Amino acid sequence: MFTTHQAWGEADCDKQKKSVLIKCRKTVELGTDYVRPNRKCCDAVKTSDMVCICLALSLDDEYHVSAVKLVDAAEECGNPVPAENKCGSKNLVLFVLFFPKRNSVVLLCS
């Protein structure tokens, strides 16, 4: 039953995933420098279930899309993927490092 439900959830956000990956292509493209998301990208991210999109990210998608950049874009657009979630084949672990004059967030993936 759980597997069926998960498959339904992935199918439900397939359109959202396609929209985000198309509108955020320059931001999430694998093998390039990170480019800040533009307004169209952020609009797609804000209206999408980013946890579902991360779960639906396939190995085929990851030949072209950086899961880490996708998570960064979600954070920058105000719809973050909570720490400890899986995004594609990556398990996300969030560490907060404190420096004397500023806080920095580091995202580690395994």
Side-chain angles (χ1 to χ4, degrees), residues 9-62:
E10 289 174 3
D12 288 346
C13 69
D14 190 55
K15 288 181 183 178
Q16 292 177 11
K17 179 179 88 167
K18 287 178 183 175
S19 176
V20 167
L21 295 185
I22 289 168
K23 292 178 180 173
C24 300
R25 186 185 66 207
K26 290 182 181 179
T27 300
V28 301
E29 190 173 19
L30 189 64
T32 63
D33 290 337
Y34 181 77
V35 176
R36 294 190 69 183
N38 61 28
R39 184 177 181 157
K40 287 182 182 180
C41 173
C42 281
D43 287 346
V45 167
K46 286 178 186 177
T47 59
S48 297
D49 181 345
M50 294 306 294
V51 172
C52 183
I53 290 172
C54 274
L55 290 173
L57 202 63
S58 69
L59 288 174
D60 286 342
D61 291 329
E62 289 188 75

Side-chain angles (χ1 to χ4, degrees), residues 27-106:
T27 300
V28 301
E29 190 173 19
L30 189 64
T32 63
D33 290 337
Y34 181 77
V35 176
R36 294 190 69 183
N38 61 28
R39 184 177 181 157
K40 287 182 182 180
C41 173
C42 281
D43 287 346
V45 167
K46 286 178 186 177
T47 59
S48 297
D49 181 345
M50 294 306 294
V51 172
C52 183
I53 290 172
C54 274
L55 290 173
L57 202 63
S58 69
L59 288 174
D60 286 342
D61 291 329
E62 289 188 75
Y63 283 115
H64 309 285
V65 174
S66 166
V68 173
K69 290 180 183 179
L70 182 63
V71 170
D72 288 345
E75 176 75 30
E76 197 165 336
C77 291
N79 189 8
V81 178
E84 306 281 329
N85 276 282
K86 186 170 179 150
C87 194
S89 63
K90 310 292 184 211
N91 290 312
L92 308 178
V93 181
L94 186 67
F95 291 95
V96 179
L97 302 176
F98 294 98
F99 293 96
K101 294 185 179 183
R102 63 185 180 128
N103 293 336
S104 295
V105 177
V106 178

